């Protein structure tokens, strides 16, 4: 099948098998920041934005992407770098496999939560799992990044 | 692993219904969240994504939620947040994360009749009805109890009454499936007490509802209604908890939900 969509601001015609999911398509097209972990909707590693909202690309059908805007972390380098400094400062970065999906959720959260609290941050990030960090360092970094008093 | 050979985007609901009834083994796609957990090969998938079923609409007497509305929209839309104290919105807020909720749909949750479902429990407490394209409107309760032919769920209809409602659940971790869930509501002197994920499907507890109707809602009657729920229902074992454990926590969940309603009344 073929369809036209927008990835990171660029219009592109995608070739894909009928029942393909977006994570697989994006990786085939070279967007290797998009990781596949559980592949069943549980871990958040595959998070990308669809029309500005975070979604799981492992659970999103490519066939539905006609005339939509997909964003991967490749388009958000500057913001991602800024957030990464907060993680590094708290020693919260380990193997980094979860980082692209996690960062996509954090950057979406920063846009969406007008008055962030520790509770609302925890709630927003509940769908991102990390095998290494134990979450504490990440949380210290995020609280500072989000400007929570 | 889920394999889909061929996806059809029907132009209208009539075509979708004709396809689901005409092609044996064809499968309607919601958000694909649950379908994706299984390992199956689908020859023909019917995608409803282009039929405009992703709207939440208010009428004079109802709030109507399109089958393709995502759980994230149920959680955040002003109409569902404002409906019956937000009981439906609250029921979905711990389903994994914001990203999964932005993928999976209320229609898929209801059509799938999952016994662990959180939104089904909440919808039962507000007398939700379902519009199917083929068979028309039926109550959610009838849908859960009956055997129905292949059809397309178009929308979920919640009657607007002066509901005061609450949802409670016990989970081993915040985003896990509920060990037990409960929704209660009060509309005048009319009560609903619903318990789901027992681990079998959600049921209304009429003994508790009648007791509340006769005695009114107080701190004391909330305790007794919870006990009646535990006495009336069957509970079973699954990897998340034993039937015995579920029976023990049932009165607590029902009581907590009723006290929330009492506070809000
Ligand atoms: C990791 C994970 C954890 C979850 N945890 C929870 C939880 O804690 N609580 C909870 O309540 N839910 C949970 N769910 C279920 C989730 O909330 C959805 O209910 C579920 O994925 C079904 O919705 P869907 O849109 O993905 O439907 P799909 O998976 O696409 O479809 C589900 C079924 O409904 C049918 N169907 C879909 N739409 C229609 C329609 N309009 N007409 C007729 N038939 C239709 C499909 O053919 C299929 O049989 C979880 C799901 C996942 C993947
Ligand atoms: S790979 Fe998509 S949620 Fe785990
Ligand atoms: S840092 Fe290794 S999985 Fe998160």
């Amino acid at each position: 099948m073929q369809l036209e969509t927008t990835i990171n601001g660029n219009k592109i015609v995608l070739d894909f098998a009928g029942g393909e999911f977006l994570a697989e398509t994006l990786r085939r097209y070279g967007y290797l920041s998009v990781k596949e972990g559980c592949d069943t909707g549980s871990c958040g590693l595959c998070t990308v934005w669809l029309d500005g909202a975070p979604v799981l690309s492992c659970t999103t059908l490519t066939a539905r992407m006609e005339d939509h805007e997909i964003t991967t972390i490749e388009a958000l380098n500057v913001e991602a770098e800024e957030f990464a400094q907060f993680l590094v400062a708290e020693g919260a970065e380990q193997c980094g496999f979860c980082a692209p999906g996690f960062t996509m959720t954090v950057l979406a959260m920063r846009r969406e939560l007008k008055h962030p609290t520790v509770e609302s941050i925890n709630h927003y990030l509940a769908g991102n799992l990390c095998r290494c960090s134990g979450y504490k360092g990440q949380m210290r970094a995020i609280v500072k990044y989000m400007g929570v008093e | 692993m889920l394999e889909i050979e061929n996806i059809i985007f029907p132009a209208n609901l009539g075509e979708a219904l004709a396809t689901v009834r005409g092609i044996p083994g064809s499968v309607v796609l919601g958000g694909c969240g649950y379908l994706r957990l299984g390992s199956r090969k689908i020859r023909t998938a019917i995608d409803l994504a282009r039929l405009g079923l992703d709207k939440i609409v208010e009428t004079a007497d109802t709030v109507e939620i399109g089958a393709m509305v995502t759980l994230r929209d149920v959680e955040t839309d002003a109409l569902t947040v404002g409906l019956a104290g937000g009981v439906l919105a609250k029921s979905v807020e711990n389903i994994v994360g914001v990203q999964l909720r932005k993928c999976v749909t209320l229609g898929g949750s209801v059509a799938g009749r999952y016994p662990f479902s959180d939104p089904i429990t909440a919808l039962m407490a507000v007398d939700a009805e379902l519009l199917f394209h083929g068979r028309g409107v039926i109550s959610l309760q009838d849908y859960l109890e009956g055997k129905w032919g292949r059809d397309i769920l178009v929308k979920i209809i919640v009657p607007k009454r002066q509901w005061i409602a609450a949802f409670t659940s016990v989970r081993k971790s915040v985003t896990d499936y509920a060990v037990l869930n409960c929704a209660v509501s009060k509309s005048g002197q009319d009560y609903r007490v619903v318990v789901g994920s027992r681990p079998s499907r959600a049921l209304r507890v009429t003994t508790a509802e009648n007791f509340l109707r006769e005695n009114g809602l107080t701190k004391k009657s909330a305790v007794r209604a919870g006990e009646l729920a535990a006495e009336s229902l069957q509970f079973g074992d699954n990897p998340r908890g034993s039937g015995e454990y579920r029976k023990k926590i049932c009165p607590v969940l029902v009581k907590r939900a009723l006290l929330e309603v009492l506070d809000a009344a």
Side-chain angles (χ1 to χ4, degrees), chain A residues 49 73 76 79-81 83-84 87 98-109 128:
Chain A
W49 293 355
I73 204 166
L76 298 166
E79 274 180 79
E81 170 94 39
F83 173 56
L87 287 177
C98 64
F102 174 58
T103 304
M104 289 305 285
T105 315
V106 170
L107 299 187
M109 172 173 74
N128 283 88

Side-chain angles (χ1 to χ4, degrees), chain B residues 39 54 63 85 103 129 145 178 203 210:
Chain B
S39 178
D54 56 352
V63 171
C103 296
E129 295 183 314
E145 283 169 8
L203 283 180
N210 293 339

Side-chain angles (χ1 to χ4, degrees), chain A residues 1 18-19 21 39-42 44 47 53-56 58-61 63-64 66 101 105 112 123-124 126-128, chain B residues 2 4-5 7 9 29-33 36-37 47 49-50 68 72 75 93-94 96-103 175:
Chain A
M1 288 172 88
F21 284 85
D39 216 18
T40 52
S42 306
T47 303
V55 296
L56 299 176
C58 74
T59 306
T60 301
L61 277 169
R64 287 182 178 169
E66 181 101 48
T105 315
E112 200 174 323
H123 181 67
Y124 202 99
N128 283 88
Chain B
L2 175 67
I4 300 174
E5 246 174 49
I7 299 192
F9 286 91
L29 303 179
C32 295
R36 192 141 170 73
L37 291 184
D47 196 327
R50 296 182 190 164
M68 293 297 282
R72 180 68 178 155
E75 182 188 2
E93 70 183 14
N94 288 318
V96 193
V98 289
Q99 314 98 307
L100 180 81
R101 297 199 292 278
K102 193 66 189 166
C103 296
T175 59

